[in-house]
Amino acid sequence: SGLREGEEYVKQQNVKTEDGANERPDIIVNGADGSRVIIDSKVSLTAYTDYVGAETEEERTTAVKANYDSIWKHVCELADMKYHKDVEKAMPIVLMFIPNEGSYILAMNKDPQLGTKAYKKGVLIINPTNLMVVLRLMFLTWQNTRQEKNNREILAAAGKIYEKYTTFADSYVTLGNQLSTARN
């Protein structure tokens, strides 16, 4: 995505909860405005693998339910963690990344309201495509912020050069006047 580790994001940063326990979100993305976005990867491929390998409709139905239940369980776990209270300036929503597109689609097809239900709990379920869009947008905000900073620095440097030039020009005129006076 173009984001730099250690600057725009950190991996597995230890976070103390209100009760003193340790939590470790997978990724904390630092926004250019100082805000922070928590991304936690949750995946259980067992149910999806069972779905793909199912030979009967009953096995497929059981695997679809198990996949959905696994994802919903992860949503509830993330909602209970309250990362936004423990990570300074964190947005009040956690991005739950499901790296397996098939598992994501299977769960969304089972319950089209899954995303809405998760969002109401403070969790946004995202797949690889959506994750890259989010990260790219974050990168672009950083890029714009850096460009604005560079522009301000260039303008400040140009201002200093102009000040030095005007000081030199004033001194040069004064010197010319003094030479004229001395010649006269």
Side-chain angles (χ1 to χ4, degrees):
S1 69
L3 296 174
R4 297 172 295 182
E5 185 174 357
E7 293 186 46
E8 286 98 16
Y9 75 94
V10 292
K11 292 193 282 188
Q12 300 284 315
Q13 182 177 9
N14 191 50
V15 175
K16 288 275 188 199
T17 63
E18 290 176 338
D19 62 357
N22 290 319
E23 294 290 345
R24 201 171 291 224
D26 291 333
I27 302 286
I28 300 174
V29 181
N30 301 313
D33 63 351
S35 65
R36 300 173 96 192
V37 176
I38 310 297
I39 303 173
D40 210 278
S41 179
K42 295 294 182 194
V43 63
S44 176
L45 292 178
T46 306
Y48 182 72
T49 303
D50 290 347
Y51 172 78
V52 171
E55 295 180 8
T56 67
E57 191 58 37
E58 183 181 327
E59 288 174 341
R60 271 189 287 284
T61 302
T62 301
V64 167
K65 182 178 180 333
N67 182 67
Y68 177 87
D69 290 346
S70 173
I71 289 173
W72 185 249
K73 178 182 171 221
H74 289 311
V75 166
C76 294
E77 288 171 357
L78 278 178
D80 290 343
M81 287 183 179
K82 308 279 190 229
Y83 281 141
H84 66 280
K85 290 184 178 182
D86 302 322
V87 175
E88 189 178 339
K89 296 183 182 178
M91 297 187 67
I93 194 150
V94 174
L95 304 184
M96 184 178 112
F97 175 56
I98 300 176
N100 181 294
E101 199 80 44
S103 177
Y104 171 84
I105 291 169
L106 192 63
M108 292 298 179
N109 284 339
K110 175 169 177 23
D111 180 4
Q113 295 302 310
L114 175 61
T116 303
K117 289 188 230 178
Y119 185 78
K120 286 179 181 177
K121 290 178 97 33
V123 177
L124 182 63
I125 303 172
I126 59 173
N127 59 0
T129 303
N130 294 336
L131 176 63
M132 289 312 295
V133 169
V134 168
L135 294 178
R136 191 67 182 156
L137 287 172
M138 301 275 303
F139 171 75
L140 291 173
T141 61
W142 271 107
Q143 190 175 41
N144 288 341
T145 300
R146 283 192 292 270
Q147 284 177 339
E148 287 174 15
K149 181 182 174 202
N150 288 343
N151 288 343
R152 283 191 301 273
E153 289 172 0
I154 289 169
L155 286 173
K160 287 177 183 176
I161 290 171
Y162 179 75
E163 284 177 33
K164 288 197 182 268
Y165 173 75
T166 55
T167 301
F168 170 76
D170 290 344
S171 297
Y172 190 73
V173 169
T174 302
L175 178 63
N177 291 339
Q178 289 173 346
L179 286 174
S180 286
T181 301
R183 196 173 4 154
N184 289 339

